[in-house]
Amino acid sequence: MAYARLGKMAGRGYAFEIFGPRYPPRAVHQPKRHVMTLRLAPDTAGLNHAADLLRAGKLVAFPTETVYGLGADACNDAAVAAIYAAKGRPSFNPLIVHVPDLATAKCYVVFDDVADRLAAAFWPGALTLVLPLRPDAGISKLVTAGLPTLAVRVPDHPVGQGLLAAFDGPVAAPSANPSGRVSPTTADHVAAGLTGKIAAVVDGGGCGVGLESTILSTTPPTLLRAGGIPVEAISACLGTTLLTDQTPVSPSAPGQLASHYAPIGTVRLNVSDPRPGETLLGFGPVEAAFNLSPSGDTTEAAANLFAMLHALDAQGAKQIAVSPIPDRGLGAAINDRLRRAAAPR
Ligand code: TXA
Ligand code: MG
C-alpha cells in the first residue's frame, strides 16, 4: 500500500514523499509547514540566540515598553516579507524600525530641529518619528512601502534594548499579533496568536505602557497616531499645538483601518448601564469583573487595555460594553483603539 512520510526538510517548505515502490524518496514542493516557535529567556544566551535567528532572516517577537513587536532584520527583504505573511497583513504597509539610540537613528533618517527636540525629550520611549529616509540607509523597501520617509523609534525596555545590542542592526517590527487583532502585551498573547508562524518569542514579561507608540511627522509637527506619549506632553515640549493627519498612508494602513485592534466579541462604547448578556469593561468606580482603572487613571487603563481585551477573548465574551473614558492623558489613545475595536467589521 502506498504511504507518505514527512522528512526533516518539512520546515523549509519541502517534504520527502515516500511511496512504497518508488523508493528512494524525492523532495516535493509543499506549502510552508508549521514552524517551531521557541520561547527564549531574556538573558544573554536567549538574546544571543534571538539575534542569531534575526541574522538568519527569521522572525523573533520581543518586548518593548509599549507592546510586543514582531521583529525582522530591516535590511533583509525576505525577512520583512515574512512579517506580512506571519501577521496575515492585507498589504505591504510601512513598518517602524527600532534602533538602540539617537545616534543610530541618524544613520537611517535625516533629523530636523523639531525631531532633535522630541528625541531629546522622549527617547528612549513611546514616540515614533517619521522622517526623510537616507538614500544610502540600506533599509528594505518593504519596510517603507516605497515611501521616501521612515518611521523610527528607540524603545525603552531592557530586553528590547538587549536584543538590539545583540543583533547590532535595525529591527523592523509591527505589533506581534495577527492582523486586525488585539496587540500583545505579554509573551503568552504573542504565543496565542503566532505560535507555529514565527521562530521565537523572547519572554520579557508584561509591557509597562500597554499601547503602541505615538507617531509624529515633524514638518510641520503632525500627529499620525495617538499612542503611549500623550499629545499634551508633545505640545508642551514644542510649545505648539499639533496638526492631526487622519489620511492613511495607504488605504489599509494598520492602526488606521476603521476596524482594528478588535477582540472576538462585539464592542459597544460609552456604556453606563450594560444590557443583559454584555460583559462590562469598566473604568472608574463601577462594578465590573474587568476594570481598566477603578481609580480613573488613564495611564493605568492604557497598561491594562489590551491584556483585558485578550482576557475577555479568552473567557469567550460575545458582547463587550465599555464605560465612558475621558480623552485626557492616554485616554485619547485608548479611545482611538476602542473606536476601532467597535467599528463595523
Ligand atoms: O509601539 C509601537 O509602535 C509598536 C512597537 C512594536 O514598537 N509597533 C507598532 O507598529 O505599533 P505597527 O506596524 O503596528 O504600526 C506602525 C504604524 C502603521 O500605522 C504605519 O502606517 C505607520 O506606523 N508608519 C510606518 N511608517 C510610516 C511612514 N513612513 N509614514 C507614515 N506612517 C508610517
Ligand atoms: Mg499593530
Side-chain angles (χ1 to χ4, degrees), residues 87 89 175 177 183 212 260-261:
K87 282 183 66 93
R89 260 197 186 183
S175 50
N177 51 287
S183 296
E212 296 87 346
H260 195 63
Y261 306 101

Side-chain angles (χ1 to χ4, degrees), residues 5-309:
R5 199 175 65 204
L6 296 182
K8 278 203 174 130
M9 289 174 73
R12 285 197 235 154
Y14 289 88
F16 286 117
E17 186 192 46
I18 305 173
F19 289 102
R22 289 218 317 260
Y23 197 82
R26 63 195 166 94
V28 292
H29 192 63
Q30 284 250 124
K32 198 156 175 66
R33 299 190 63 79
H34 232 53
V35 184
M36 165 104 92
T37 301
L38 301 172
R39 190 179 287 235
L40 299 172
D43 55 15
T44 307
L47 292 172
N48 285 337
H49 193 149
D52 285 342
L53 289 169
L54 289 177
R55 275 188 281 273
K58 309 281 189 213
L59 303 183
V60 176
F62 64 98
T64 78
E65 79 281 30
T66 59
V67 299
Y68 273 69
L70 179 56
D73 177 352
C75 300
N76 179 332
D77 289 330
V80 176
I83 289 180
Y84 294 98
K87 282 183 66 93
R89 260 197 186 183
S91 59
F92 291 161
N93 299 299
L95 302 173
I96 297 171
V97 164
H98 298 68
V99 292
D101 51 36
L102 175 60
T104 310
K106 289 188 172 183
C107 300
Y108 303 110
V109 287
V110 181
F111 274 64
D112 55 28
D113 183 49
V114 167
D116 271 325
R117 273 152 63 201
L118 291 170
F122 298 109
W123 278 2
L127 177 70
T128 294
L129 295 174
V130 173
L131 296 169
L133 176 69
R134 287 189 185 281
D136 56 350
I139 300 289
S140 165
K141 284 215 170 12
L142 283 178
V143 170
T144 54
L147 293 170
T149 51
L150 176 69
V152 284
R153 97 175 184 91
V154 175
D156 185 13
H157 194 290
V159 178
Q161 281 285 344
L163 180 63
L164 292 173
F167 177 60
D168 195 22
V171 173
S175 50
N177 51 287
S179 187
R181 298 248 77 100
V182 178
S183 296
T185 56
T186 66
D188 284 343
H189 297 161
V190 177
L194 295 176
T195 291
K197 296 186 171 157
I198 64 175
V201 51
V202 184
D203 187 349
C207 302
V209 175
L211 278 179
E212 296 87 346
S213 59
T214 303
I215 306 181
L216 287 188
S217 58
T218 58
T219 45
T222 305
L223 179 70
L224 302 179
R225 178 178 76 183
I229 304 276
V231 170
E232 296 92 313
I234 295 165
S235 294
C237 167
L238 296 177
T240 167
T241 54
L242 299 176
L243 303 177
T244 40
D245 182 2
Q246 297 299 338
T247 321
V249 285
S250 85
S252 53
Q256 292 162 328
L257 282 173
S259 170
H260 195 63
Y261 306 101
I264 292 162
T266 59
V267 178
R268 196 163 71 89
L269 303 180
N270 294 316
V271 176
S272 301
D273 292 307
R275 297 173 187 149
E278 285 184 329
T279 308
L280 182 64
L281 178 60
F283 178 88
V286 292
E287 206 42 58
F290 294 93
N291 195 318
L292 293 166
S293 173
S295 68
D297 174 350
T298 55
T299 302
E300 180 186 29
N304 285 330
L305 177 66
F306 290 148
M308 288 189 177
L309 290 176

